[in-house]
Amino acid sequence: MTANTHIPQGAASDDQQVKRSLILPGGGLRLSYVAGVLEVLFEHGLSFQHMDGTSGGSLNLAMLLSGLDAKNISERWRTLNMRDTIAFMPLHQCLSLKNFTAAASADGFRKKVYPHLGIDFERIRAAQGIEATFNLCHFASKTNVVIPHQQMTEDYLVAGMSLPGALPPVDIDGEIYLDSGFIQDANLMEAVKRGANEIWLVWIMGNISQYRSGVLDLYVQMLEMSANGALHKEFEQIQQINQRIEAGETVYGHQQPIRLHLIKPAHPLPLDSALYTGDISHAQLIELGKEDAQTYLNSMTKEGVPFEPQVTTMTTKTLGIQFKETMAGYFTLDETVPKKGAESGKQQRTKLAMHAQVDIDDIDQFVKTGAHPGGLGGTIDFEPLGKGMPAHSGVFNLFFPAEEPETKFMVYELGFNHQGQEYYLAGKKVVRDDLAFDLWSDTTTLYTTLHKGTDKEAEVIGAGILTLGVKDLVKLVSTITVLNADSTADKVKTVGKFGRFFMGELWETYGIRW
């Protein structure tokens, strides 16, 4: 077979002494994220003289070595039918604790997934102009073994992504092989030994301080602990090598320190289960990979990041709520009292509309905090000034305690600029149980003032009353979105928590006479 001439090489480096290695660790089928990263890296002309794959990361490496470009790889991920990855073991084996080895077989990957992804083992073995390595666990010795791409087979690829309990181990020439993820999920030292002095690592294994519960999360956490622990150990090894190099020693042929560039998501990616339920798609993961790669390239330095554990740290995603709310009503300039402004506005037929978007990033923190703050953005329509004027700042508080007992405010404030002048629109709903049953009017009536300046302490130049109609309320409900939800269960839980809080506050105020 002719040599593979389609390995993405990019532009030649200005530094002829740079030898780059692309490290593609595991992470399940979520690794469509990496396809997005690859698109950006190759678009920026990066070339790699060595590539290394472990676990699911080997799928992307196999596609590259099969001659696919990054855009083709992304398209194949986008069109992957997740049902094709499922091939269950015989029922009697799954139900037998004594004979259980794995929940599924690799038949779906062999017969459907590998062909769909364009993986061609003859082309992989014939690839030239590149050094590529795959990692497997040799079960008898409990060690990681490296398979050069010239020796790669379908059995090796299956074995390299066969996590214990998920897929069965593979017997190759009388030896048992399986996924190396519990030993190490990224083989940086292989790159160093092959002369790479600039390592590009795409890391998606979660690394957060929160300890999660549930059978699936516990299994994943064990894998994350092993993967991150082994990676951090390699960081230590390379740190020591760099120290020896700086002291004048030549190590594995290196006379200059080895550098690291690391691309990762800010928060752990949803698990593979979210791909099966439809809570996230490969298209979304690809776009996220593009964003993270571009963000890193925009801020990177030649020195890269330190070989320190903290560079793999991610933050916990918090569940939140977002909704859009339009309130409109009569409003006029040269009035300072909302009721008078509404009356004058009605006579003059001048209205103001606030098109607001409320963002509550952390529903738990929102409920706990006394002021119940959220983010507010949007646009303002007011004919004397203009339409669609965008806000550059905003304040939102729900059931903010007032100085008067048994009174709370719903606060909506937007700062905006029009023709070089700063304005500040400040509104509040007064939630209070008066003698009449006024729950509806209290929660839908916004008493509003317009200030000429940057906050509500500035001069009042206009006033009025905005309201939320029944149609607008229905529209508001339809815009409710749960932020950072990985599953339908997360969405239901978050909306329920917000609903209980809202109704609880209303009951506390009005419930005595209900």
Side-chain angles (χ1 to χ4, degrees), residues 362-378:
D362 187 337
I363 189 65
D364 289 330
Q365 196 63 30
F366 174 81
V367 170
K368 291 177 184 177
T369 305
H372 310 301
L376 190 70

Side-chain angles (χ1 to χ4, degrees), residues 458-476:
E459 176 191 2
V460 178
I461 62 168
I465 296 176
L466 312 184
T467 59
L468 179 73
V470 175
K471 290 184 179 179
D472 291 320
L473 178 60
V474 172
K475 187 176 180 181
L476 182 159

Side-chain angles (χ1 to χ4, degrees), residues 432-450:
R432 179 174 53 231
D433 186 19
D434 299 316
L435 293 177
F437 187 77
D438 54 359
L439 182 152
W440 172 259
S441 62
D442 283 358
T443 56
T444 59
T445 303
L446 190 73
Y447 298 94
T448 312
T449 52
L450 180 65

